[in-house]
Amino acid sequence: MAEGKRQILHIDVNNAFLSWTAMDRLEQGEKIDIREIEAVIGGDESKRSGIVLAKSMKAKQKGVYTGETLFQARLKCPNLQVFKGNYKSYKKHSNDLYKLLLNYTDKIERFSIDECFLDMTNYLGKFDLLEKAYEINKRVKRELGFTVNIGVAHNKLLAKMASDFTKPDRVHTLYEEEIPTKMWPLPVSELFMLGKKTIPKLYDMKIRTIGDLAKQDKRLMIKKFGKHGLLMWEYSNGIDNSEVNYLEEKPKGIGNSVTLPMDINDEEKLAEVLLTLAEQVAYRLRRYNMCAGVVNVQLRTKDFKDFSHQKKLLNVTSNTKDIFNVAKELLKEMYKKGTMIRLVGLRVDKLISKDEVQLSLFNSEEDKKQEKLDRVVDSLKNKYGYNSVTRAGKLHSEDIVKLKDV
DNA sequence: TCTGGGGTCCTAGGACCC
DNA sequence: TCTGGGGTCCTAGGACCC
């Protein structure tokens, strides 16, 4: 490790989906700023995906939280207004933020659509890290029209924890010497990477705060929780040596899944859904110019039990047909007749770049024909939109699975 | 009551090999 | 007659993130 401390910022857009939708609406001439009322961005209840994706401060004050059902949210907040999300718009706002941040450093990791890590270590000049954080905070608000929280620290974990302190529109530091006062008193559930399965186990051990966790014996935590035990012990003590990954990474897997409008127990219909998913997944795969080595099918039963089967391919592929055929085999081997299915998912893993694939030699004439067909369809989709080209006889499954923009 | 969709990483067991 | 141990690959399932 280099001498001296790293200078890290974590930027977190406040109520991202809701703020961005609020801006879009105002731009379209709507009078009400949905940031100022009891509002959420939510899924579609008619498609059985009615959950809260983002909430306004006022909705939060009524106890509404992200991930709960709209039904539950309305119980707590009867006047709740629900708005639809728009992924394309969110992507654009996210890119605007990224471009602004590039003025401060090249070393930006896009952690999600609304979060970035910045490594400012060699980009500060005579400026102070905290000073820069305030400047970024003001500039985003002024130039982009939404607010961000910024965490200021010497590693990613502490910066992320800091940005999660009081919201919105705030800058917080979490330097090493501040850990005992600012982080240790927090409930242990606030620690990054501690989820709802681990928290009850920690409670059983009388661990309530992050400080309680920090005081545990490291070896005991490893013994009880393995790698995850080490990670949570280190995090609770503010230890994190991970780098800001600013280089764009290729995906390791690509998947699409869909909750069906109603539960299905007809294997043929499930296969039709898989065909639609195979087209989406393979199309995205080819857009990355990649091939897949593993195909995975996921089913969720009506009582929320998840199953998955996967299969390694003899030869990597990006053909819609190849992927669909394997998916259909997997469905056949895993589906127990009569089971009511709520969700169908298809994903591909073990991806490699097409440039690294030794094609030609093993490819049959049939494969080449299929690749050519996929290429033609892709170029039409690129030009006229994903839904412009559909397979004959597939319209029925598109009734089941409403095609979305990929 | 109703419970998304897209990811990454880890674990554990079985098969197989030396 | 007794029955190693280490390594790798594959698969199913689970935890966690936003």
Side-chain angles (χ1 to χ4, degrees), chain A residues 241-395:
Chain A
N241 294 315
S242 67
E243 298 286 329
V244 172
N245 297 315
Y246 58 93
L247 298 174
E248 206 185 321
E249 285 178 47
K250 291 264 194 175
K252 302 192 166 117
I254 295 175
N256 285 105
S257 60
V258 65
T259 295
L260 306 169
M262 54 186 57
D263 298 332
I264 292 183
N265 64 355
D266 177 342
E267 192 172 329
E268 253 178 63
K269 287 221 172 71
L270 293 172
E272 282 177 38
V273 175
L274 278 178
L275 175 57
T276 304
L277 292 171
E279 286 185 323
Q280 289 178 20
V281 166
Y283 174 68
R284 292 173 62 202
L285 188 59
R286 295 190 292 265
R287 297 249 303 193
Y288 278 111
N289 199 31
M290 297 184 92
C291 283
V294 170
V295 175
N296 180 306
V297 171
Q298 179 202 357
L299 298 177
R300 175 175 296 158
T301 62
K302 75 169 199 296
D303 45 351
F304 265 72
K305 296 260 187 297
D306 285 329
F307 298 93
S308 70
H309 275 210
Q310 65 182 54
K311 190 169 180 180
K312 189 181 187 304
L313 306 173
L314 287 170
N315 301 109
V316 296
T317 186
S318 66
N319 284 356
T320 297
K321 200 175 159 192
D322 290 348
I323 292 170
F324 173 61
N325 283 338
V326 176
K328 213 163 52 171
E329 276 177 46
L330 289 167
L331 175 70
K332 199 174 169 191
E333 84 181 28
M334 75 191 287
Y335 182 64
K336 197 166 154 288
K337 284 211 175 351
T339 315
M340 281 294 185
I341 298 300
R342 177 190 175 90
L343 171 143
V344 182
L346 173 57
R347 62 176 295 107
V348 289
D349 284 294
K350 293 265 149 68
L351 307 190
I352 58 164
S353 181
K354 239 172 205 176
D355 316 326
E356 298 166 39
V357 184
Q358 290 286 340
L359 293 155
S360 54
L361 279 179
F362 300 99
N363 280 15
S364 66
E365 284 307 307
E366 181 59 33
D367 289 343
K368 283 178 190 156
K369 250 164 77 181
Q370 186 61 44
E371 265 175 42
K372 207 168 169 182
L373 178 67
D374 284 338
R375 265 204 302 278
V376 172
V377 171
D378 286 353
S379 63
L380 288 171
K381 286 181 171 182
N382 290 337
K383 200 165 171 188
Y384 301 107
Y386 182 79
N387 293 338
S388 63
V389 194
T390 53
R391 210 172 271 258
K394 205 173 69 66
L395 286 172

Side-chain angles (χ1 to χ4, degrees), chain A residues 68-90:
Chain A
E68 75 177 332
T69 60
L70 293 174
F71 183 89
Q72 282 171 323
R74 279 197 202 89
L75 290 180
K76 289 181 267 188
C77 188
N79 296 322
L80 192 69
Q81 301 229 43
V82 182
F83 299 92
K84 278 203 175 20
N86 178 351
Y87 190 77
K88 252 188 193 162
S89 152
Y90 300 159

